[in-house]
Amino acid sequence: MRNTEQKSVILEVLQTHKDHPTADQLYSEVRERLPRISLGTVYRNLEKMSQAGVILKLELGGGQKRFDPTPTDHAHFRCVNCSSVEDLPEDFAIDLPDISSIDGTNRIVLGNTLEYYGYCEKCAAERQLN
Amino acid sequence: MRNTEQKSVILEVLQTHKDHPTADQLYSEVRERLPRISLGTVYRNLEKMSQAGVILKLELGGGQKRFDPTPTDHAHFRCVNCSSVEDLPEDFAIDLPDISSIDGTNRIVLGNTLEYYGYCEKCAAERQLN
DNA sequence: CTATTTGCAAAGCCTTTGCGTGACT
DNA sequence: AGTCACGCAAAGGCTTTGCAAATAG
């Protein structure tokens, strides 16, 4: 994996996020620093970095892929109203059954994804008003 | 929700599945019984039935949505090679933390999705050969 | 130097939607 | 009869990809 300015700026911008932006959100932020970058480059670099384990590509419900600067194992919460995705605290992570013990089959388990969904605090508050 | 032949055939075909077909897989199977049905109708009915809680719409990793005839809560296993999705046994379901107790926030939690991924038995066996 | 990466634009894939016709209750 | 659903086809949204030029190692 070659080092390019595009790649490092994308990573830096992603790392300023506490939430989990989509590729086009990152694109528009990165463009403030690299006005000539293309959306394809953003996608290509996000893909490569997630392959390399530097970041996490999230494919949760709700359509668009999202990217997480923290590649450690943790659960996510997705708002069904505004589609935002937040991390859940680590102590929330459940001790999932031993990866190799899933029933009696010979599957090779690589990992798991735990996603909660509902209304985030902001959208929950707005719903109270109606 | 009105009763149409299209809807009941789609449901019947889905219910013959132990796995979790995509909309276009169902479309081609349903077309054997209703040759003039359109893909749009398949999508519309799957959406309605999942809204009604009759079936489950799965939005897991890997791109396409998949549909599950069993609307109860259970975990899934997705093959990263062939993209198939299987149910995991119910006794595998983890006791997830009480839905309202996720840290100290005021989120409204509606549910959760637990997905394991890796190589299914078939693809795991094929990998042994290489 | 040569292989990888970029920008651009086009294509691809899956899904949704507008419209006029037909079917359910 | 009135509304909801259908078939068709087009549009839509997100993501990937082919290509020639630029760039990293």
Side-chain angles (χ1 to χ4, degrees):
Chain A
M1 187 156 68
R2 207 169 266 190
N3 271 348
T4 67
E5 193 177 5
Q6 288 86 343
K7 179 174 298 149
S8 52
V9 171
I10 292 168
L11 182 58
E12 282 171 31
V13 168
L14 176 57
Q15 285 173 339
T16 67
H17 276 262
K18 271 172 263 160
D19 62 351
H20 302 62
T22 59
D24 60 293
Q25 281 169 11
L26 287 168
Y27 172 55
S28 75
E29 292 174 33
V30 167
R31 234 182 346 175
E32 292 172 15
R33 290 175 55 183
L34 303 174
R36 302 196 47 76
I37 199 174
S38 77
L39 182 57
T41 298
V42 172
Y43 271 104
R44 272 186 289 232
N45 278 308
L46 289 170
E47 180 61 32
K48 282 206 174 147
M49 290 190 288
S50 80
Q51 295 264 346
V54 179
I55 64 172
L56 221 58
K57 176 169 66 172
L58 303 176
E59 304 184 72
L60 309 177
Q64 250 162 307
K65 291 171 185 161
R66 290 174 175 272
F67 297 89
D68 186 333
T70 313
T72 62
D73 215 5
H74 58 281
H76 291 97
F77 179 90
R78 173 174 56 91
C79 180
V80 296
N81 187 236
C82 72
S83 294
S84 68
V85 174
E86 309 165 34
D87 286 330
L88 288 176
E90 243 187 78
D91 59 299
F92 193 74
I94 293 94
D95 240 354
L96 294 170
D98 177 72
I99 228 156
S100 54
S101 75
I102 295 188
D103 66 354
T105 66
N106 293 310
R107 296 191 187 94
I108 299 172
V109 182
L110 298 176
N112 62 65
T113 304
L114 175 56
E115 172 200 358
Y116 283 79
Y117 54 88
Y119 292 90
C120 70
E121 290 202 275
K122 191 166 68 63
C123 292
E126 281 166 16
R127 273 168 71 81
Q128 302 293 325
L129 306 176
N130 305 339
Chain B
M1 189 156 68
R2 205 171 266 186
N3 269 349
T4 67
E5 193 177 5
Q6 287 86 344
K7 179 174 298 147
S8 55
V9 171
I10 292 169
L11 182 57
E12 282 171 30
V13 169
L14 177 55
Q15 285 174 340
T16 66
H17 276 262
K18 272 171 262 160
D19 61 352
H20 302 63
T22 59
D24 59 292
Q25 282 169 9
L26 288 167
Y27 172 55
S28 75
E29 291 174 34
V30 167
R31 234 181 349 174
E32 292 172 14
R33 290 176 56 185
L34 302 174
R36 301 195 48 73
I37 198 174
S38 77
L39 182 56
T41 297
V42 173
Y43 272 105
R44 271 186 289 235
N45 278 308
L46 290 170
E47 180 60 32
K48 284 207 172 146
M49 291 190 286
S50 79
Q51 296 264 347
V54 180
I55 64 172
L56 221 57
K57 176 169 67 172
L58 303 176
E59 304 184 71
L60 309 178
Q64 252 159 305
K65 291 171 185 160
R66 289 173 176 273
F67 297 88
D68 186 333
T70 313
T72 61
D73 214 6
H74 57 281
H76 292 97
F77 179 89
R78 173 174 56 90
C79 180
V80 296
N81 188 236
C82 71
S83 294
S84 67
V85 174
E86 310 165 34
D87 285 330
L88 288 177
E90 243 187 78
D91 60 297
F92 193 75
I94 293 95
D95 241 353
L96 293 170
D98 177 72
I99 230 159
S100 54
S101 75
I102 296 189
D103 66 356
T105 67
N106 292 310
R107 296 190 187 94
I108 298 172
V109 182
L110 298 176
N112 62 64
T113 305
L114 175 55
E115 172 200 358
Y116 283 78
Y117 54 88
Y119 292 89
C120 71
E121 289 202 276
K122 192 167 67 63
C123 291
E126 281 167 16
R127 274 169 69 82
Q128 302 293 325
L129 305 177
N130 304 339

